[in-house]
Amino acid sequence: MSNTLALPTNLSVGSFDSYLSTVSHTPKLTPEQEYDLAVQYRDHGDLEAARSLIMSNLRFVAHVARGYSGYGLPLADIMQEGNVGLMKAVKRFDPEVGVRLVSFAVHWIRAEIHEYVIKNWRIVKVATTKAQRKLFFNLRKSKKGLGWLSKDDAEAIAENLNVALKIVYEMEERLDGRDMSFDMPTGDSSEDNISAPVNYLEQHEADPALLLENADWKGHKEGLLSKAMSDLDERSQDILNSRWLSENKATLHDLAARYNVSAERIRQLEKNAMKKLKAAVVLEA
């Protein structure tokens, strides 16, 4: 749907209460008016007709959005996601079906709000599959206060949603978990700082002394190899460079043609040169 159907800028300026007041005073459409506007948009792409359909139903989005105020997310953002769902519903609405737009749009409004809640309720997603999302929202409604579900409540939810009891308990644990900073203190106490994962997740290769030792040993080995190469005759150096160190590696036959000998002779020279390199490096190490 075109960006020209975005909400007027005056509705997003000022307090949230001002926005609610504005949409609540937007005139409702009669069934006949709604039908005519929907036909106008469907048949002629009239964006002004679509805009009227959206504006007249914003109060319903606000009503649905209030039901998600207990997730700790900004209600204004939840409502805006619901508005996106309403616009998607208007785009797909068929006035010939014989239902009001609000009845058709409720699915799209909730779908957008659910997606927003799932993405933003925790840093790590608590639900990724369709079944997990359904369980997430049903658990949020079913949990009474801050306590854990009773066995009867959990069994009733599992039976109602046709999932295993174990899955219900796993989702409840996710809901009652909290985000934890990896390396920054989450409060003023030293206990918070100690419990940060960075303090107990071990990285075996991060020892500075070990890293320095490995880097030094690597440089030492490279130096030994370079010195051993320089002690070889010019032809052996060229064969090893061409066969192993060059970006475009030569074949035995390429080198045989270069030195006017057989490929087998090149293989022997390569083998002898490698033995000399190994012996020189072992001796110096």
Side-chain angles (χ1 to χ4, degrees):
M1 190 171 289
S2 171
N3 289 335
T4 55
L5 290 182
L7 298 180
T9 54
N10 66 316
L11 291 184
S12 58
V13 175
S15 68
F16 184 62
D17 290 339
S18 176
Y19 170 81
L20 293 177
S21 177
T22 302
V23 299
S24 65
H25 286 87
T26 304
K28 294 182 180 181
L29 296 175
T30 64
E32 293 76 16
Q33 290 173 325
E34 183 178 277
Y35 176 85
D36 292 342
L37 289 170
V39 170
Q40 193 70 13
Y41 175 63
R42 183 196 63 187
D43 296 346
H44 306 288
D46 188 341
L47 294 181
E48 191 58 35
R51 182 178 182 278
S52 297
L53 290 170
I54 292 170
M55 295 297 295
S56 64
N57 285 283
L58 289 178
R59 60 164 56 84
F60 177 71
V61 176
H63 171 73
V64 174
R66 284 195 185 96
Y68 296 86
S69 59
Y71 289 90
L73 298 171
L75 188 56
D77 291 345
I78 294 176
M79 190 172 300
Q80 185 57 39
E81 294 299 320
N83 290 343
V84 172
L86 175 60
M87 287 190 282
K88 289 183 177 181
V90 168
K91 185 177 181 179
R92 296 166 173 79
F93 181 57
D94 183 1
E96 305 299 340
V97 174
V99 300
R100 296 297 301 269
L101 173 60
V102 70
S103 299
F104 175 78
V106 65
H107 163 76
W108 296 96
I109 295 170
R110 292 190 184 278
E112 291 297 319
I113 292 176
H114 285 186
E115 185 69 21
Y116 170 75
V117 171
I118 290 293
K119 285 183 177 179
N120 295 277
W121 193 67
R122 288 284 189 269
I123 294 176
V124 179
K125 283 187 176 182
V126 296
T128 54
T129 67
K130 183 177 180 181
Q132 287 177 343
R133 294 183 183 194
K134 187 175 181 181
L135 180 56
F136 170 82
F137 287 103
N138 275 274
L139 271 182
R140 286 284 299 180
K141 292 178 182 177
S142 300
K143 284 174 69 68
K144 299 177 176 64
L146 298 177
W148 290 81
L149 289 174
S150 67
K151 186 174 183 297
D152 291 340
D153 289 336
E155 290 177 347
I157 293 173
E159 182 179 356
N160 184 47
L161 298 180
N162 194 28
V163 297
L165 186 61
K166 176 184 176 182
I167 302 299
V168 176
Y169 285 134
E170 287 178 354
M171 180 58 71
E172 185 181 26
E173 288 183 4
R174 294 187 188 184
L175 291 176
D176 286 285
R178 65 182 179 90
D179 296 328
M180 177 181 289
S181 172
F182 179 72
D183 57 359
M184 298 295 291
T186 56
D188 297 331
S189 68
S190 59
E191 182 180 352
D192 286 327
N193 200 12
I194 292 174
S195 65
V198 71
N199 291 304
Y200 56 81
L201 293 180
E202 184 177 3
Q203 186 175 356
H204 297 283
E205 299 178 357
D207 185 347
L210 185 60
L211 292 175
L212 181 61
E213 180 182 346
N214 290 338
D216 184 65
W217 176 243
K218 181 181 179 183
H220 177 62
K221 288 193 295 184
E222 290 176 351
L224 291 177
L225 180 61
S226 178
K227 182 179 183 303
M229 281 283 289
S230 65
D231 292 337
L232 295 174
D233 62 88
E234 187 174 337
R235 184 172 62 174
S236 295
Q237 289 184 39
D238 181 51
I239 290 174
L240 291 183
N241 278 319
S242 299
R243 291 279 291 156
W244 299 100
L245 304 179
S246 175
E247 186 173 335
N248 297 316
K249 295 179 175 56
T251 65
L252 292 174
H253 292 284
D254 292 335
L255 293 171
R258 181 185 304 175
Y259 289 104
N260 196 27
V261 296
S262 67
E264 176 59 24
R265 179 56 181 160
I266 294 296
R267 188 191 67 77
Q268 292 173 356
L269 291 171
E270 177 187 25
K271 182 178 180 181
N272 289 335
M274 293 291 284
K275 285 182 177 179
K276 291 179 182 179
L277 277 185
K278 182 178 180 180
V281 170
V282 171
L283 183 63
E284 293 293 333

